[in-house]
Amino acid sequence: MTLELLSTEVLNSKQLPPLPGINLLQLTELTSGFFLSSIRIGAFLLSSPLFGARYVILPIRIVITMMLATMIFSGLPENFASSFQETSLPNFLTIILKEIAIGLTGGLILTIWFSAAALAGEKIATSCGLGYAMQVDPSSGTSSPVISQIFNLFLIVIFVSIDGHLLVLRTLMDSYELIPIGADLNFGIMVTNGITAAGSMFLAATIIMLPIAGLTLMINITIGIITRSAPTLNLFSFGFPITMIAAFIILYFSTNSLAFSFSDLIREAIETLQTYIEDLSNG
């Protein structure tokens, strides 16, 4: 019996164990599927108001992204990872860009809505003579009035206290069911929702700062009448201290009203994000 026949009989008579590392062929599928699952949530966390702030360090963002991506990937169909194996490189890059666009647009919509508080604080500071009290904002890295930073921190505290961050993350995770990975997108809907959010930001900022700015304007008119009737009074030494003290008193007594206004602002921002996801899934 020759050596070839002997080896053939051995192969046919015995069940050889699988070669080590043969299951590593599935590693590419799992890695690509997990990578695609993490792009949308990572882009959203990068541009969202709370998670994308500068005081949230990069390792924390990566850990949060990986945890959420693991939950998302575990809920996807079993054949999800293998469905992208035969996808060409240009199509794969297109899918990545679509996922980035969905996440970035959702985060920017929330950021635009939350900028209403900073804009209102800036206008209030300008009207009461506190516009020169500038400080570096840790969330954006730019200089802004102190009142704007106080409003921003107040808004973030309310956002976390009413579990707004959990609602936002739940909305984004539900978007994987409404908008599957690789689905066709209507980019006009993204642009329309972004422009609508910008217009709503200016409207919300006006509603927040109008009562305080109106009272400050009445105080300035009163000071102007007094200085007009008594020309010996110096406007800079008499009017500015009264205006600033009055602004602090008005802000102190307006805390409850501002809290309810910020709560409504957060609710409208979350509803806008949900509407954006629904419009994108129907478009």
Side-chain angles (χ1 to χ4, degrees):
M1 183 179 293
T2 62
L3 182 60
E4 295 181 358
L5 294 176
L6 180 61
S7 61
T8 304
E9 290 180 359
V10 172
L11 291 175
N12 293 330
S13 61
K14 295 182 179 180
Q15 183 69 29
L16 295 178
L19 293 176
I22 197 67
N23 291 329
L24 293 179
L25 295 175
Q26 299 178 356
L27 183 61
T28 305
E29 299 180 0
L30 297 176
T31 304
S32 60
F34 184 80
F35 174 69
L36 291 176
S37 302
S38 63
I39 293 176
R40 186 185 304 181
I41 187 70
F44 176 81
L45 295 180
L46 184 65
S47 59
S48 59
L50 174 61
F51 305 100
R54 294 171 62 93
Y55 48 76
V56 180
I57 59 177
L58 183 59
I60 299 299
R61 298 182 193 174
I62 295 175
V63 170
I64 296 175
T65 303
M66 293 298 104
M67 292 174 59
L68 294 176
T70 303
M71 298 172 59
I72 294 168
F73 183 68
S74 61
L76 295 176
E78 296 180 356
N79 60 346
F80 168 75
S82 60
S83 62
F84 293 97
Q85 285 301 306
E86 298 180 356
T87 305
S88 61
L89 182 59
N91 292 333
F92 195 78
L93 294 177
T94 303
I95 294 173
I96 293 176
L97 292 178
K98 288 181 181 179
E99 292 298 307
I100 293 176
I102 295 173
L104 282 179
T105 305
L108 288 176
I109 287 175
L110 283 181
T111 302
I112 291 171
W113 269 96
F114 278 44
S115 299
L119 182 59
E122 183 177 354
K123 297 304 178 184
I124 292 172
T126 303
S127 63
C128 64
L130 291 173
Y132 63 89
M134 306 286 287
Q135 192 175 4
V136 177
D137 188 1
S139 60
S140 60
T142 59
S143 298
S144 60
V146 178
I147 296 181
S148 296
Q149 299 186 27
I150 293 173
F151 279 14
N152 272 328
L153 294 176
F154 194 21
L155 181 64
I156 293 298
V157 168
I158 296 175
F159 179 63
V160 176
S161 63
I162 64 175
D163 293 335
H165 59 297
L166 300 180
L167 292 175
V168 167
L169 293 178
R170 180 73 263 179
T171 301
L172 190 66
M173 294 179 70
D174 290 340
S175 68
Y176 283 87
E177 298 180 1
L178 298 175
I179 311 171
I181 298 176
D184 295 331
L185 300 178
N186 186 356
F187 291 96
I189 295 177
M190 298 182 182
V191 177
T192 302
N193 281 271
I195 295 174
T196 303
S200 301
M201 175 195 68
F202 288 106
L203 178 61
T206 303
I207 294 174
I208 293 172
M209 67 92 179
L210 191 59
I212 301 176
L215 290 175
T216 307
L217 178 61
M218 294 175 61
I219 293 172
N220 289 329
I221 293 174
T222 304
I223 293 174
I225 294 173
I226 293 174
T227 54
R228 184 67 176 176
S229 58
T232 56
L233 294 176
N234 189 356
L235 179 62
F236 294 95
S237 61
F238 172 71
F240 282 175
I242 294 179
T243 303
M244 288 186 287
I245 293 174
F248 285 121
I249 294 174
I250 293 171
L251 289 174
Y252 175 77
F253 286 104
S254 301
T255 304
N256 292 331
S257 300
L258 289 174
F260 286 113
S261 299
F262 289 163
S263 179
D264 294 337
L265 176 66
I266 294 170
R267 190 176 297 108
E268 291 291 335
I270 296 175
E271 290 179 358
T272 303
L273 178 63
Q274 294 173 350
T275 303
Y276 158 70
I277 298 296
E278 293 176 357
D279 292 344
L280 204 60
S281 63
N282 296 328

